[in-house]
């Protein structure tokens, strides 16, 4: 079969790779350079533990604050486009305790299988930089660590079975001497991992080509035309690609791409930023979630990446110097003496965030051969290879994957596209506060 994948981020490349493994003729088309969108400068964490939606209790309070805040990790700025206000209202609705509990349970169940898919890629020869020494959450305030231990107990009740160790006092420096003396403590999530995301997208792109596939760069898809049997995908270079199946994995621009077909998806951009640098002082040996400031610190060999911010409604790609400086300043506040001396990359990128902050994965009803894989929010790295593997089975073998049920497009009901919560799995599970929606 001829399959066109639109978008060469971690999601599109994972789908493309798995489909090429089944022997299909895969073309991945990207408006820019493969792997250079939201999948490039992120923290790279593979984190089943933090797989929770940001649509969670407290979101209303945070949203109100965020309209005026200049130095918080999350910001919401009204976007003039019709539909933004509806998106915000539905996001806040999905943040109720009951709905976010169900969504968390669905994500926890799904992400449980995420790590194995990274091993599967490596076993099949996909080359990427991966680190397997866990993820540490660092707390300045003791009560936050205490609350987090309650959260860990709730995650356990949802089936999280990774090792967890808490370090306090002098044990923190023994665990990772790069962490500033005097923090309240650290929770080490031993089975989490991290990758250098640019190497993962590069490895997947290379593997697709090795399997006989094609990657087209600098070609924006401008039209998707259904035919009686096949799709025509028209690019900005006036190329027409004929496909049996089309996978739309274009991040938040998927929404604009699908609109002419009368398909509405409730996805919004949330802008993040990062700095990657080499430096002097003790480099962290673990990726660190710097809890109070929601900054992510990811060591990649001799480089360190500090990333964060969740600016909803910001679709521009301009580097906001103040936001980046805030992340760096706040991040360094948790480190003993590591300081950047040589900046390698300053980056902005967008997560595609749905109103319930769950991904959309599956066929588009009424559009034979059209498949959607987007809206992975803060979890595209974690869930990318898993999404690709399951989506490929559905597309190539028509084998419906039960694990994808909570993530179907059909969960959004009515003209406003509010999620229909009855379709989420685990309706009996409730998670009390505290929640941690992460900000990776
Ligand atoms: C600061 C930050 C930190 C993060 N940290 C983590 C983390 O630690 N762990 C984790 O799991 N997730 C993390 N994420 C989330 C993760 O980066 C995203 O979920 C993931 O990159 C989404 O991948 P994607 O393939 O959907 O989108 P993208 O990587 O954005 O790819 C979409 C591609 O589609 C292309 N495209 C768009 N429109 C068209 C068109 N019309 N025609 C052709 N191509 C088109 C774009 O050029 C782009 O390359 C983070 C995000 C940010 C911003």
């Amino acid at each position: 079969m001829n399959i066109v994948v639109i978008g060469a981020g971690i999601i599109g490349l994972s789908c493309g790779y798995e489909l090429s493994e089944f022997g299909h003729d895969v073309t991945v088309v990207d408006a820019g350079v493969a792997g250079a969108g939201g999948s490039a400068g992120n923290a790279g964490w593979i984190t089943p533990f933090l797989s929770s939606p940001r649509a969670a209790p407290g979101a209303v309070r945070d949203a109100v604050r965020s309209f005026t805040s200049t130095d918080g990790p999350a910001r919401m700025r009204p976007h003039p486009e019709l539909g933004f206000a509806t998106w915000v209202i539905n996001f806040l609705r999905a943040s109720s305790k009951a709905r976010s509990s169900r969504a968390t349970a669905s994500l926890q169940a799904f992400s449980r299988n995420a790590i194995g898919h990274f091993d599967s890629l490596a076993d099949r020869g996909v080359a990427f930089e991966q680190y397997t020494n866990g993820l540490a959450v660092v707390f300045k305030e003791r009560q936050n660590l205490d609350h987090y231990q309650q959260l860990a107990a709730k995650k356990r009740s949802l089936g999280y079975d990774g090792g967890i160790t808490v370090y306090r006092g002098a044990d923190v420096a023994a665990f990772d001497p790069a962490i500033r003396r005097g923090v309240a403590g650290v929770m080490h999530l031993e089975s989490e991992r991290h990758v250098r995301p640019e190497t993962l997208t590069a490895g997947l792109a290379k593997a697709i080509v090795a399997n006989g596939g094609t990657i087209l760069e600098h070609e924006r898809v401008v039209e998707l035309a259904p035919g009686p049997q096949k799709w025509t995908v028209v690019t900005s270079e006036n190329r027409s690609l004929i496909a049996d199946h089309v996978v739309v994995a274009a991040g938040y621009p998927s929404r604009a791409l699908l609109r002419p077909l009368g398909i509405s998806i409730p996805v919004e951009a949330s802008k993040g930023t990062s700095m990657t640098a080499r430096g002097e002082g003790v480099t962290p040996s673990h990726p660190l979630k710097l809890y109070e400031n929601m900054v992510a610190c990811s060591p990649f060999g001799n480089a360190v990446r500090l990333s964060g911010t969740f600016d909803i409604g910001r679709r521009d790609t301009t580097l906001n110097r103040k936001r980046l400086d805030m992340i760096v300043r706040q991040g360094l506040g948790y480190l003993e003496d590591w300081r950047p001396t040589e900046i390698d990359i300053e980056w902005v990128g967008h997560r595609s965030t749905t109103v319930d902050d769950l991904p959309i994965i599956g066929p588009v009803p009424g559009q034979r051969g059209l498949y959607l894989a987007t809206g992975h929010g803060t979890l595209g790295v974690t869930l990318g290879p898993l999404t690709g593997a399951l989506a490929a089975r559905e597309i190539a073998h028509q084998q419906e994957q039960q694990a994808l049920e909570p993530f179907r497009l059909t969960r959004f009901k009515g003209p406003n596209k509010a999620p229909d919560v009855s379709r989420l799995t685990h309706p009996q599970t409730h998670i009390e506060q505290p929640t941690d929606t992460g900000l990776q």
Side-chain angles (χ1 to χ4, degrees), residues 5-13 29-47 51 118 193-195 197 201 216 219-223 234-235 249-254 257 270-274 296 298 305-310 327 347-352 373-384 439-440:
V5 180
I6 305 172
I10 174 84
I11 304 300
L13 290 169
V29 196
D30 200 282
V33 172
S39 300
N42 63 65
W45 297 351
I46 308 166
T47 177
S51 293
F118 287 83
R193 299 183 185 180
H194 75 293
V195 292
T201 47
L216 296 176
E219 290 206 38
R220 180 176 298 281
V221 171
V222 291
E223 193 190 345
V234 184
T235 75
Y252 81 90
S254 302
L257 203 54
S270 49
K271 183 177 169 184
T273 188
S274 70
S298 308
R305 177 169 295 166
L306 292 166
S307 61
T309 70
F310 189 88
I327 288 170
W347 176 83
V348 293
H350 299 92
R351 308 166 186 88
S352 62
T374 190
H376 287 71
T378 60
L379 293 167
V381 176
T382 305
L383 303 178
L439 196 55
Q440 69 280 4

Side-chain angles (χ1 to χ4, degrees), residues 66-77 309-314 320 323:
S66 76
F67 278 112
T68 51
S69 127
T70 51
D71 62 354
R75 284 209 310 202
M76 199 180 282
R77 290 289 181 268
T309 70
F310 189 88
D311 294 347
I312 295 176
R314 286 281 161 155
N320 183 328
R323 299 290 276 161

Side-chain angles (χ1 to χ4, degrees), residues 349-363:
H350 299 92
R351 308 166 186 88
S352 62
T353 304
T354 61
V355 287
D356 55 8
D357 207 12
L358 299 181
I360 306 172
I361 312 166

Side-chain angles (χ1 to χ4, degrees), residues 37-236:
S39 300
N42 63 65
W45 297 351
I46 308 166
T47 177
F49 185 93
L50 295 175
S51 293
S52 306
R54 283 203 46 86
V60 176
R61 179 203 57 212
D62 292 348
V64 171
R65 272 192 205 149
S66 76
F67 278 112
T68 51
S69 127
T70 51
D71 62 354
R75 284 209 310 202
M76 199 180 282
R77 290 289 181 268
H79 195 280
E81 189 176 294
L82 204 65
F84 181 70
T86 311
W87 186 95
V88 172
I89 290 164
N90 284 332
F91 181 82
L92 297 179
R93 278 195 189 139
S95 303
S96 72
K97 195 157 119 181
R99 288 179 179 205
S100 97
S101 289
R102 291 182 182 118
T104 301
S106 296
L107 266 183
Q108 284 285 304
F110 187 54
S111 65
R112 203 168 299 145
N113 298 313
I115 287 178
H117 285 269
F118 287 83
D119 290 334
S120 165
L121 292 180
D123 289 347
R124 286 178 284 163
V126 179
F128 57 100
E129 205 176 302
Q130 180 174 212
Y131 303 84
T132 57
N133 59 344
L135 165 65
V137 190
V138 187
F139 302 87
K140 282 185 174 168
E141 306 291 337
R142 214 186 84 191
Q143 81 254 28
N144 291 336
L145 172 55
D146 295 342
H147 284 158
Y148 220 75
Q149 287 186 288
Q150 293 169 33
L151 173 70
K154 295 291 174 193
K155 295 272 163 120
R156 283 261 185 262
S157 73
L158 291 174
Y160 181 80
D161 61 359
I164 299 177
T165 306
V166 171
Y167 298 93
R168 295 176 193 261
D171 291 341
V172 171
F175 166 71
D176 193 329
I179 297 171
R180 184 166 234 161
R181 308 292 174 268
V183 299
V186 165
M187 181 182 285
H188 184 209
L189 307 167
E190 292 161 14
S191 0
E192 316 284 279
R193 299 183 185 180
H194 75 293
V195 292
R196 180 135 190 182
E198 307 95 304
T199 67
L200 179 59
T201 47
L204 286 166
K206 203 170 159 198
I208 291 171
V209 174
N211 281 349
T214 306
I215 312 277
L216 296 176
E217 297 185 318
H218 302 293
E219 290 206 38
R220 180 176 298 281
V221 171
V222 291
E223 193 190 345
L224 266 176
Q229 296 297 330
K230 302 200 185 251
W231 286 83
T232 305
V233 177
V234 184
T235 75
S236 51

